[in-house]
């Protein structure tokens, strides 16, 4: 399947032909949709989609459903897990929340996506989704809203909390502390002096800021005066 | 462009609501509610309660039908259910079983 990176998916297969299914902008479908032909969604579909063809979600289209299809091209909004036998394409205007599973995935710059990606071939997970499908069928379409609400939380990656004796610690500070500007030069200095070609350590002095100079004052007693140093070297 | 088309291989089990023209060539079960025209084309199967402005049936329709303007059963159509519409056309060759209510 050849797909352009444009926002609209029309150019992917030329103009929408008579044979394919189109869901117009003002149309809302709730329930299960299955079939063997391309479906182009400008409107809204809630529920479950099972296609042996390509699903196109146009820029104004909204899908709140689990999707199984051969190929999926998203330029609109999808909330739900998407499984494709072929490829999933997220165009620049795509907004997707859910897990993606397909051997090939294209995400255009500008596309918004939150969820997990799996490019492994479906194996035991497939049975899992089938079991899920059977459960959904029993529960009717009650699942639609409940799952759509639950999914974003599921898709959000867990915060990396460290634990100590069963107590969750706050996340590690990533931004440097303010006082580290002073601490850093004095810490880094010995290492830099080893590498410096200037044996007197004067050439690098200009590089340090005021805080570095303060730090150097502490270190100064260890640096020999120029004259003495020369004598020692001879 | 602003019409919804349900293709011949498509099965929808649920509810379709919309503002636009709806063409059914596939199968729809459940409920259909459109503000515009519903056309069930030859080969299309609808097993649903239907509510639309104008309904044209060429395929098969099982369920109760309410049209605010017009209901038309074409020669190839099969309809089982009650029809409520101010104007009803039943063509020669159409198969129909049910009640007709033209208001009044």
């Amino acid at each position: 399947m050849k797909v352009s990176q444009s926002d609209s998916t029309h150019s992917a297969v030329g103009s929408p032909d008579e044979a394919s299914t189109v869901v117009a902008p003002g149309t809302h479908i709730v329930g299960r949709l299955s079939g063997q032909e391309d479906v182009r969604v400008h409107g809204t579909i809630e529920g479950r989609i099972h296609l042996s063809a390509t699903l196109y979600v146009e820029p104004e289209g909204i899908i709140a459903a689990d999707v199984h299809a051969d190929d999926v091209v998203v330029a609109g909004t999808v909330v739900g897990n998407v499984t494709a036998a072929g490829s999933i394409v997220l165009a620049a205007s795509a907004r997707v929340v859910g897990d993606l599973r397909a051997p090939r995935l294209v995400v255009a710059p500008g596309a918004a996506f939150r969820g997990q990606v799996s490019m492994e071939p479906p194996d035991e997970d497939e049975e899992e989704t089938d079991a899920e499908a059977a459960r959904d069928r029993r529960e009717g379409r009650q699942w639609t809203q409940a799952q759509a609400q639950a999914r974003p939380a599921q898709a959000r990656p867990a915060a990396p909390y460290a634990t100590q004796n069963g107590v969750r610690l706050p996340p590690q500070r990533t931004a440097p502390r303010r006082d580290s500007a002073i601490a850093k030069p004095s810490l880094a200095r010995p290492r830099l002096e080893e590498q410096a070609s200037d044996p007197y350590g004067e050439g690098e002095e200009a590089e340090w800021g005021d805080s570095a100079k303060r730090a150097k004052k502490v270190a100064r007693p260890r640096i020999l005066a120029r004259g003495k140093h020369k004598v020692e070297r001879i | 462009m602003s019409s919804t088309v349900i293709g011949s291989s498509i099965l929808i089990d649920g509810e379709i609501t919309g503002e636009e023209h709806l063409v059914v060539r596939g199968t729809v079960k459940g409920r259909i509610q459109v503000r515009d025209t519903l056309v069930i084309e030859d080969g299309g199967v609808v097993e649903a309660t239907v509510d639309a402005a104008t309904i044209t049936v060429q395929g098969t329709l099982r369920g109760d039908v309410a049209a605010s303007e017009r209901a038309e059963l074409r020669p190839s159509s099969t309809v089982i259910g009650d029809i409520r519409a101010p104007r009803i056309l039943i063509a020669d060759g159409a198969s129909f079983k049910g009640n007709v209510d033209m208001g009044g």
Side-chain angles (χ1 to χ4, degrees):
Chain A
M1 192 188 61
K2 218 181 157 190
V3 175
S4 78
Q5 301 283 315
S6 71
D7 279 6
S8 175
T9 59
H10 277 194
S11 49
V13 288
S15 62
D17 58 335
E18 280 287 303
S20 74
T21 294
V22 179
V23 178
T27 300
H28 194 131
I29 295 176
V30 180
R32 279 186 295 133
L33 187 153
S34 56
Q36 287 86 47
E37 64 185 55
D38 292 358
V39 175
R40 210 169 269 284
V41 182
H42 300 267
T44 307
I45 297 182
E46 274 180 69
R48 179 173 286 278
I49 297 170
H50 226 292
L51 279 186
S52 310
T54 305
L55 173 72
Y56 297 91
V57 184
E58 300 290 345
E60 68 273 41
I62 297 170
I63 303 281
D66 277 359
V67 176
H68 288 253
D70 281 358
D71 298 293
V72 180
V73 181
V74 182
T77 304
V78 175
V79 179
N81 298 335
V82 180
T83 305
S87 66
I88 297 173
V89 177
L90 307 188
S93 58
R95 298 168 58 82
V96 177
V97 177
D99 296 346
L100 305 182
R101 174 185 281 275
R104 281 175 292 139
L105 172 66
V106 179
V107 181
F113 165 59
R114 192 171 72 198
Q116 292 187 346
V117 172
S118 172
M119 292 188 171
E120 288 158 24
D123 37 46
E124 67 269 16
D125 280 23
E126 190 64 33
E127 292 164 26
E128 194 182 296
T129 54
D130 284 351
E132 196 184 304
R135 198 178 60 235
D136 290 344
R137 233 167 280 141
R138 282 199 301 276
E139 290 168 3
R141 53 184 183 81
Q142 289 289 324
W143 71 275
T144 315
Q145 278 200 325
Q147 251 190 347
Q149 280 163 9
R151 201 172 289 112
Q154 194 181 44
R156 196 178 298 134
Y161 282 115
T163 55
Q164 197 177 62
N165 303 328
V167 178
R168 292 216 299 187
L169 300 173
Q172 286 261 301
R173 192 188 189 94
T174 49
R177 287 178 181 277
R178 282 186 87 179
D179 54 11
S180 67
I182 298 167
K184 219 184 242 169
S186 60
L187 283 172
R189 208 176 158 74
R191 215 184 329 139
L192 280 167
E193 270 187 342
E194 278 167 23
Q195 294 168 355
S197 55
D198 180 5
Y200 312 113
E202 286 186 9
E204 62 196 315
E205 199 167 12
E207 285 169 29
W208 302 109
D210 287 346
S211 58
K213 274 181 185 157
R214 244 178 283 136
K216 203 187 165 187
K217 249 179 205 168
V218 182
R220 189 151 283 166
R222 299 203 306 180
I223 297 171
L224 298 164
R226 185 171 288 192
K228 274 192 178 175
H229 200 215
K230 249 182 190 167
V231 169
E232 269 182 20
R233 282 192 76 180
I234 295 163
Chain B
M1 190 58 238
S2 64
S3 82
T4 297
V5 181
I6 309 300
S8 55
S9 76
I10 297 292
L11 165 66
I12 292 176
D13 191 347
E15 191 178 317
I16 301 178
T17 52
E19 315 291 319
E20 287 100 350
H21 192 79
L22 172 64
V23 179
V24 179
R25 297 189 186 120
T27 305
V28 179
K29 296 177 183 176
R31 203 164 78 90
I32 296 175
Q33 190 169 21
V34 286
R35 295 248 176 103
D36 205 329
T37 307
L38 167 68
V39 178
I40 302 168
E41 291 202 345
D42 216 349
V45 177
V46 172
E47 296 178 17
T49 305
V50 176
D51 198 339
T54 307
I55 298 165
T56 303
V57 185
Q58 289 168 290
T60 304
L61 170 61
R62 275 190 287 272
D64 294 346
V65 177
S68 61
E69 288 173 24
R70 200 164 71 109
E72 187 177 342
L73 312 189
R74 296 274 176 86
S76 57
S77 67
T78 304
V79 177
I80 300 172
D82 297 347
I83 298 178
R84 187 159 53 83
R87 278 184 292 158
I88 297 174
L89 281 82
I90 301 180
D92 187 13
S95 164
F96 170 60
K97 182 184 175 186
N99 293 323
V100 172
D101 179 359
M102 296 175 77

